[in-house]
Amino acid sequence: MQPAYGRTDRWNLPGGGIDSDLGEIPRAAARREVREELGLDLAPGRLLAVNWSHKPGRPARIRFLYDGGVLDAPTLARIRLDPTELLQWRTVPREELPALVKGALRRQITACLDARASGAGPLELHAGRP
């Protein structure tokens, strides 16, 4: 997804914050975020990876990456973006990732694609690296 705010030249995955103060768990947050951002109510598949990252002077960030499955053409046609958050969406082959997403996210996506294909995981990642 291409965000409508911040660095619009770098694409991202659907997702966002967990409403932990309301008791929301990561899996429920993933489903809510996909519903809010894409207009699709899809149950997340298996957990593929947990990524931990940290930048000096900032809080650590933890990302839970779930298998979103393979979406068929009718499901893709139902995608509706929130224009205040997202400019556009698309699916891309692995080879196009370097032009769209920064290194740490690209490593996370690649690790998850490999885990999905091999049945491995869930993986424990640090900045996208095992």
Side-chain angles (χ1 to χ4, degrees), residues 45-67:
R46 72 182 182 93
L47 178 65
L48 295 173
V50 176
N51 184 77
W52 184 91
S53 61
H54 178 260
K55 293 181 181 177
R58 304 180 100 174
R61 297 182 60 150
I62 298 172
R63 177 178 277 154
F64 294 84
L65 297 127
Y66 294 95
D67 186 345

Side-chain angles (χ1 to χ4, degrees), residues 43-129:
R46 72 182 182 93
L47 178 65
L48 295 173
V50 176
N51 184 77
W52 184 91
S53 61
H54 178 260
K55 293 181 181 177
R58 304 180 100 174
R61 297 182 60 150
I62 298 172
R63 177 178 277 154
F64 294 84
L65 297 127
Y66 294 95
D67 186 345
V70 176
L71 305 183
D72 59 18
T75 303
L76 292 173
R78 290 195 335 258
I79 292 176
R80 298 292 179 263
L81 302 180
D82 176 348
T84 63
E85 289 198 33
L86 302 170
L87 298 175
Q88 59 181 319
W89 69 271
R90 67 182 186 177
T91 61
V92 297
R94 181 187 296 236
E95 304 80 49
E96 290 183 28
L97 289 173
L100 297 173
V101 297
K102 60 185 176 182
L105 179 57
R106 183 174 60 251
R107 289 188 299 271
Q108 291 170 58
I109 293 170
T110 301
C112 286
L113 290 172
D114 292 344
R116 187 176 192 277
S118 70
L123 306 174
E124 182 178 342
L125 306 174
H126 175 234
R129 294 180 177 93

Side-chain angles (χ1 to χ4, degrees), residues 19-44:
D19 291 333
S20 57
D21 55 329
L22 301 176
E24 187 175 50
I25 62 172
R27 180 172 294 279
R31 185 173 191 159
R32 176 184 51 77
E33 287 287 346
V34 168
R35 187 174 55 250
E36 289 174 2
E37 293 179 356
L38 302 179
L40 299 176
D41 187 17
L42 303 171

